[in-house]
Amino acid sequence: MVTIYEGQPHERKPGLSRRELLKRGGAGALLIISGSAVISPEHAWGLETSALKPETMATLIQVARDIYPHDQVPDKYYAIAVKGHDETAAKDPAHKELIEKGIAELDKKAGKGGYRGLGWEEQRVALLKEVEKTPFFQTVRSGLVVSLYNQKEVWPIFGYEGESYSKGGYIARGFNDIEWL
């Protein structure tokens, strides 16, 4: 892609442009790798790893955000959603190998800077589409369905009030008040 600046053509460099950074705001913030942890200094949370490399977990957080993108959901909930892969990898060497090799393959396909170094969501999604039939992708995607959306802390973000049976059912509790659907 070529952009024009002061009459001269310039190639757009892969990475995060200033405009994209400002547009993203709080979502997809900078993650720092320190020892065996992934840290978000801007939002004051951290995730310690035990089996997977912290770089792998940071990339897994970005992969999770790209598979199920919700700008209003902070990264910490994606981190909680993928933490189970680290816990499983600690008990199951085959799972550890699946995740580590899957992330390594994405980084290799992404080129210099790896998967997280791609600043444009479209580029990352194109890579995910290339690997969507692999056991790695299917494992991550299927795990996210439960681990991301089953967190009670994210329910209010989507307007979901939780199960209703114990509170008399949905008919008596605003059956038709969902605004986001």
Side-chain angles (χ1 to χ4, degrees):
M1 177 177 276
V2 176
T3 55
I4 304 297
Y5 180 72
E6 294 182 15
Q8 299 297 323
H10 294 279
E11 281 193 35
R12 179 181 278 174
K13 296 178 181 170
L16 192 62
S17 71
R18 180 178 177 275
R19 179 170 294 188
E20 183 69 17
L21 179 66
L22 292 173
K23 188 169 83 173
R24 283 186 183 187
L30 175 69
L31 297 178
I32 296 174
I33 310 295
S34 176
S36 65
V38 179
I39 301 168
S40 174
E42 181 181 352
H43 296 102
W45 63 265
L47 172 71
E48 193 167 20
T49 63
S50 59
L52 297 173
K53 294 184 275 189
E55 295 84 3
T56 299
M57 289 300 290
T59 303
L60 207 49
I61 292 166
Q62 183 63 60
V63 167
R65 180 170 284 290
D66 290 337
I67 292 174
Y68 292 111
H70 301 289
D71 290 339
Q72 71 275 29
V73 176
D75 279 343
K76 79 175 189 177
Y77 297 113
Y78 286 96
I80 292 167
V82 298
K83 177 66 174 158
H85 289 293
D86 184 55
E87 294 164 354
T88 302
K91 300 175 213 160
D92 181 4
H95 187 78
K96 179 178 179 176
E97 183 179 355
L98 176 75
I99 300 299
E100 291 285 1
K101 280 187 174 181
I103 294 297
E105 183 65 27
L106 280 177
D107 284 341
K108 182 180 174 185
K109 286 178 180 283
K112 185 178 178 186
Y115 184 85
R116 285 184 298 133
L118 295 174
W120 301 101
E121 182 179 4
E122 294 83 19
Q123 293 172 310
R124 294 189 309 269
V125 170
L127 286 178
L128 290 175
K129 285 183 179 186
E130 288 180 30
V131 300
E132 71 182 336
K133 303 271 190 228
T134 65
F136 160 74
F137 181 87
Q138 292 301 318
T139 299
V140 172
R141 185 201 54 78
S142 63
L144 283 170
V145 171
V146 175
S147 62
L148 178 61
Y149 297 115
N150 208 24
Q151 296 179 54
K152 290 183 180 179
E153 295 82 11
V154 301
W155 293 352
I157 296 170
F158 298 117
Y160 178 59
E161 298 171 3
E163 65 83 23
S164 189
Y165 178 77
S166 66
K167 300 169 186 129
Y170 287 110
I171 301 283
R173 293 187 57 240
F175 169 69
N176 260 348
D177 69 352
I178 292 180
E179 298 172 12
W180 58 270
L181 189 57

